[in-house]
Amino acid sequence: LGGSGFVGREVCRVAVRKGYDVRSLSRRGLNPEPGSAELSGVTWITGDATDEATVKSLVADADAAVHAVGLLFDVDSGLKNLNIVVSGSRSVPGDESTYDNITKRTALNLIKAMRSRFRMPGKERPPLCFVSAAEAGWPDVRFGEQVESVAPDWLKRYLAAKRAVEAELTDASSSLRPVVFRPSLIWNFRKLDVLPVIPVFNLLSALGVPFVDKTVRVEALAAAIVAALDDPTVEGVQRFPEIEALSARA
């Protein structure tokens, strides 16, 4: 899910390169880079990921699933037009585009659909990778809760949706292999909106500020996600050191 976005298209690119048969569901169902040989190998499907039946049909015979649906500023944030700048798909949220719908509901649909499939006894659990956020782990690090207490309301709701999905994945671990990626800022040299602050985040992380993680290149995150799909020993939360280690396998 979210294969046409900033992170999702890179995951699709790496997966096709690795020989996966890739299907992507999005509202437009269009290849975001028609000139890309790798992305031309993806089956692009038009559909609504908030619809349970649509998602169930998508993964009916899937061996693995990735949730990379991204929404930084929802319709209630007062900042929705900024998504034109920060969103990989350059989309603006519609009236129903809340964090609960776009992040939580789509992910829970995916989890439920993957759990509902029959699995032969003794067969490995299918992996489900979820792109969360480093800040979702603030309650687990020093000063994280204090920082979140003064965060804007939209960020608190954004993180609440991410944590709700993480909790659901943990509960589903008997039937799925949950892999939760918690990147900080995700970037490449074309992502001009975040480039100026990348050195700041990296310096603070290097200095040991506990609630700031080192940033992650989108290519590294995508490579790490596909590596996690391939490795049945990878499970649980993956922060930037694990992301870097996994991406090095590509």
Side-chain angles (χ1 to χ4, degrees):
L1 302 187
S4 61
F6 180 56
V7 174
R9 74 181 66 177
E10 292 302 324
V11 174
C12 288
R13 204 188 314 271
V14 175
V16 168
R17 202 179 297 143
K18 290 282 188 178
Y20 277 85
D21 178 11
V22 182
R23 284 171 288 175
S24 172
L25 177 72
S26 62
R27 286 180 295 172
R28 296 184 182 90
L30 299 174
N31 181 350
E33 296 179 24
S36 165
E38 290 101 342
L39 296 185
S40 294
V42 175
T43 300
W44 300 97
I45 300 170
T46 304
D48 181 2
T50 65
D51 179 69
E52 187 176 316
T54 298
V55 176
K56 187 174 182 179
S57 174
L58 177 75
V59 303
D61 58 353
D63 298 313
V66 176
H67 185 283
V69 178
L71 177 65
L72 184 55
F73 302 116
D74 78 349
V75 69
D76 297 325
S77 67
L79 302 168
K80 70 174 186 177
N81 288 327
L82 290 179
N83 286 289
I84 297 174
V85 177
V86 303
S87 168
S89 59
R90 300 291 187 261
S91 60
V92 176
D95 293 341
E96 301 298 317
S97 296
T98 63
Y99 298 125
D100 277 349
N101 272 336
I102 302 303
T103 299
K104 182 178 174 182
R105 186 174 174 183
T106 60
L108 266 53
N109 282 347
L110 184 60
I111 294 168
K112 184 176 181 180
M114 290 293 288
R115 292 186 76 179
S116 68
R117 302 177 323 141
F118 175 75
R119 180 166 60 98
M120 291 291 291
K123 189 175 181 182
E124 290 181 346
R125 295 166 298 157
L128 197 162
C129 293
F130 172 65
V131 181
S132 186
E135 295 76 15
W138 272 348
D140 305 323
V141 301
R142 192 179 181 197
F143 303 127
E145 290 184 332
Q146 289 88 337
V147 172
E148 186 167 345
S149 70
V150 297
D153 177 69
W154 66 264
L155 180 55
K156 292 177 181 177
R157 293 186 295 103
Y158 171 86
L159 296 177
K162 294 286 192 183
R163 290 172 185 145
V165 177
E166 290 190 13
E168 190 70 19
L169 274 170
T170 299
D171 290 343
S173 61
S174 62
S175 53
L176 300 175
R177 175 166 60 88
V179 189
V180 175
F181 288 86
R182 284 185 183 168
S184 178
L185 290 180
I186 309 167
W187 65 282
N188 63 18
F189 285 109
R190 298 186 301 276
K191 198 81 166 59
L192 301 180
D193 57 301
V194 297
L195 281 180
V197 297
I198 295 300
V200 177
F201 270 62
N202 289 344
L203 176 61
L204 292 174
S205 177
L207 291 173
V209 176
F211 50 85
V212 178
D213 274 14
K214 182 181 176 182
T215 64
V216 176
R217 283 197 61 144
V218 68
E219 296 87 353
L221 177 57
I225 289 171
V226 176
L229 296 178
D230 288 335
D231 188 343
T233 68
V234 178
E235 187 168 344
V237 173
Q238 315 293 310
R239 291 179 64 185
F240 75 89
E242 291 81 17
I243 292 171
E244 291 179 345
L246 283 167
S247 69
R249 302 181 189 179

